């Protein structure tokens, strides 16, 4: 399954928060049909990305996450501490994509056209490579099924 803004259920100009709720529910449920999340050019900003991280943490099925061409997506989304009302911990690691990525199965993250620094992008790509190596070592059968997986090996 490909969770993107342009789908039959949602108009192409859907509010990012509307799609976030739909996709985050699939992520949190660890839905095996959700292998790719394509949020290119969809006004994803730091607050939305922090919410995405909460659903990503522990997900074992999502392989590809593309956040490209969202200029308001920056290093801020990668920092721990969501600051959301009701969050039990000020430094909630689950609100950080950088912290959640190693606890997921994401093998590829697209960051072209974002405001993420080169150093942070390198760290995220390294986490994806580590996820790929972990999957190879575990002889993960879904690696052969994922056409969009790029291990970078």
């Amino acid at each position: 399954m490909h969770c993107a803004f342009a789908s039959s259920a949602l108009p192409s100009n859907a509010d990012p928060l509307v799609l976030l709720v739909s996709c985050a529910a699939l992520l949190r449920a660890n839905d095996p049909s959700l292998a790719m999340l394509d949020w290119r050019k969809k006004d994803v900003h730091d607050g939305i990305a922090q919410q995405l991280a909460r659903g990503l943490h522990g997900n074992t099925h999502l392989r590809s996450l593309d956040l490209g061409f969202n200029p308001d997506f920056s290093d801020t989304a990668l920092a721990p501490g969501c600051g959301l009302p009701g969050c039990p911990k000020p430094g909630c690691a689950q609100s950080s994509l950088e912290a959640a990525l190693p606890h997921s199965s994401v093998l590829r993250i697209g960051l072209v056209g974002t405001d993420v620094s080169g150093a942070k992008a390198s760290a995220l790509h390294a986490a994806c490579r580590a996820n790929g190596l972990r999957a190879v070592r575990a002889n993960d059968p879904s690696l052969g099924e994922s056409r969009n997986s790029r291990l970078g090996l």
Side-chain angles (χ1 to χ4, degrees):
M1 178 185 228
H2 176 111
C3 195
F5 276 85
S7 72
S8 58
L10 294 167
S12 60
N13 63 346
D15 184 318
L17 291 175
V18 172
L19 187 64
L20 172 67
V21 170
S22 300
C23 291
L26 292 173
L27 284 171
R28 280 191 306 276
N30 203 18
D31 188 318
S33 68
L34 182 61
M36 186 167 94
L37 189 58
D38 182 359
W39 282 8
R40 289 174 292 177
K41 298 181 183 180
K42 300 302 177 194
D43 297 323
V44 173
H45 54 76
D46 295 337
I48 289 176
Q50 288 171 337
Q51 291 295 316
L52 171 65
R54 288 180 171 206
L56 184 65
H57 195 278
N59 184 284
T60 59
H61 298 288
L62 187 71
R63 297 293 192 207
S64 179
L65 173 61
D66 197 337
L67 299 168
F69 302 101
N70 289 294
D72 293 330
F73 176 67
S74 71
D75 286 359
T76 302
L78 306 176
C82 59
L84 296 171
C87 182
K89 300 186 299 186
C92 176
Q94 290 187 12
S95 68
S96 162
L97 277 177
E98 189 172 19
L101 203 57
H103 301 282
S104 73
S105 61
V106 174
L107 304 175
R108 179 195 172 277
I109 185 165
L111 298 169
V112 173
T114 66
D115 198 28
V116 174
S117 68
K120 290 291 187 178
S122 292
L124 295 174
H125 291 298
C128 289
R129 284 191 302 276
N131 286 347
L133 287 172
R134 188 175 59 246
V136 167
R137 286 185 186 124
N139 200 20
D140 185 340
S142 69
L143 286 177
E145 299 167 9
S146 178
R147 294 182 307 185
N148 296 311
S149 67
R150 295 182 203 159
L151 298 178
L153 304 176

